[in-house]
Amino acid sequence: MLWRVKAKLILAVVLLGVFALSRWPGLMPNNFSAAYAIAFCAGVYLPKKLAWWLPLSALLATDVCINVFFYHVHALDSSMVANYLAFALIVWLGTKFSEKKSRTTRDVSASWARLLSGGVLGAILFYFVTNTAAWLQLSAYPKNLAGWFQALTVGLPGFPHTWEFFRNTLLSGGLFTGLFVGAMKLEEKLEPEEKTEESPAPDAEEQPESV
């Protein structure tokens, strides 16, 4: 129906705006971002093609703007590849938690909890992918199990501990996923029920004429 198409477009615009604002440096604590939840919810709720190109193109556009206008460096950098890979994995994860599959659970609260756990899982996935990539790319990390554990916990001297980034990633992933999924569940309850067309009454049988 037409209202469903409009709802999808409105959702896409809202997600795009929140995505861009939450990534701008200084607006939120480090790694506290709606981006993880938006990538996951895009995979859950948006049509297949839109679910992929909307969050990834928004990621590319915001990266270019932040690097050029805030940090005054090159628009793109090879170190961003891990971020794009992580976000793509979160979108893919969202498609596995798609709304059609969630509706197999009749209990709304159970469905909400299921999607919330998916958003948190996406945030964890982002943390492991990006910090593992940093461990592989940066020469300051020893290329052994201890170095990988360092990259996942304390990071490099002189910088905030990576477990603090993980805390913010986890909290924001759960918070924003819960808010977005809750809003979608509320919208489903408020949406008008489809009116079924009344079938025409069967023609009455002709009564035989009285003699």
Side-chain angles (χ1 to χ4, degrees):
M1 293 180 64
L2 182 60
W3 66 267
R4 286 183 178 176
V5 176
K6 290 182 178 180
K8 296 292 186 183
L9 292 176
I10 293 173
L11 175 63
V13 172
V14 171
L15 291 181
L16 183 61
V18 175
F19 187 101
L21 288 175
S22 68
R23 298 198 71 230
W24 194 259
L27 290 181
M28 293 187 180
N30 290 330
N31 278 45
F32 193 93
S33 172
Y36 323 113
I38 289 173
F40 176 76
C41 290
V44 173
Y45 292 108
L46 295 183
K48 197 168 186 179
K49 291 182 179 179
L50 189 63
W52 286 99
W53 72 257
L54 177 67
L56 295 180
S57 60
L59 178 66
L60 176 63
T62 52
D63 276 338
V64 170
C65 290
I66 291 171
N67 287 343
V68 171
F69 297 107
F70 188 85
Y71 293 116
H72 305 289
V73 295
H74 295 295
L76 294 175
D77 188 84
S78 59
S79 62
M80 298 178 184
V81 174
N83 286 4
Y84 289 93
L85 174 61
F87 278 112
L89 288 174
I90 295 175
V91 174
W92 173 82
L93 183 66
T95 63
K96 298 304 176 183
F97 282 76
S98 65
E99 187 63 14
K100 291 182 180 179
K101 295 179 181 179
S102 296
R103 284 176 177 170
T104 58
T105 305
R106 293 184 179 181
D107 188 357
V108 175
S109 62
S111 178
W112 181 86
R114 182 175 181 271
L115 291 173
L116 176 61
S117 66
V120 171
L121 181 59
I124 295 173
L125 188 66
F126 181 89
Y127 169 76
F128 273 98
V129 169
T130 53
N131 282 280
T132 299
W135 168 65
L136 293 172
Q137 292 174 350
L138 299 178
S139 58
Y141 286 118
K143 299 303 182 285
N144 51 32
L145 187 59
W148 182 60
F149 186 73
Q150 177 188 351
L152 294 176
T153 53
V154 296
L156 297 175
F159 294 93
H161 292 168
T162 48
W163 69 262
E164 297 177 23
F165 293 117
F166 178 56
R167 176 197 59 198
N168 293 344
T169 300
L170 200 60
L171 289 175
S172 59
L175 173 64
F176 286 108
T177 300
L179 290 175
F180 290 140
V181 172
M184 292 302 297
K185 295 297 181 185
L186 179 62
E187 189 271 338
E188 287 176 4
K189 288 184 178 181
L190 297 178
E191 71 185 20
E193 295 182 357
E194 296 182 12
K195 295 182 179 180
T196 56
E197 295 182 2
E198 297 182 357
S199 56
D203 295 333
E205 297 181 358
E206 295 182 3
Q207 299 293 333
E209 296 181 356
S210 57
V211 179

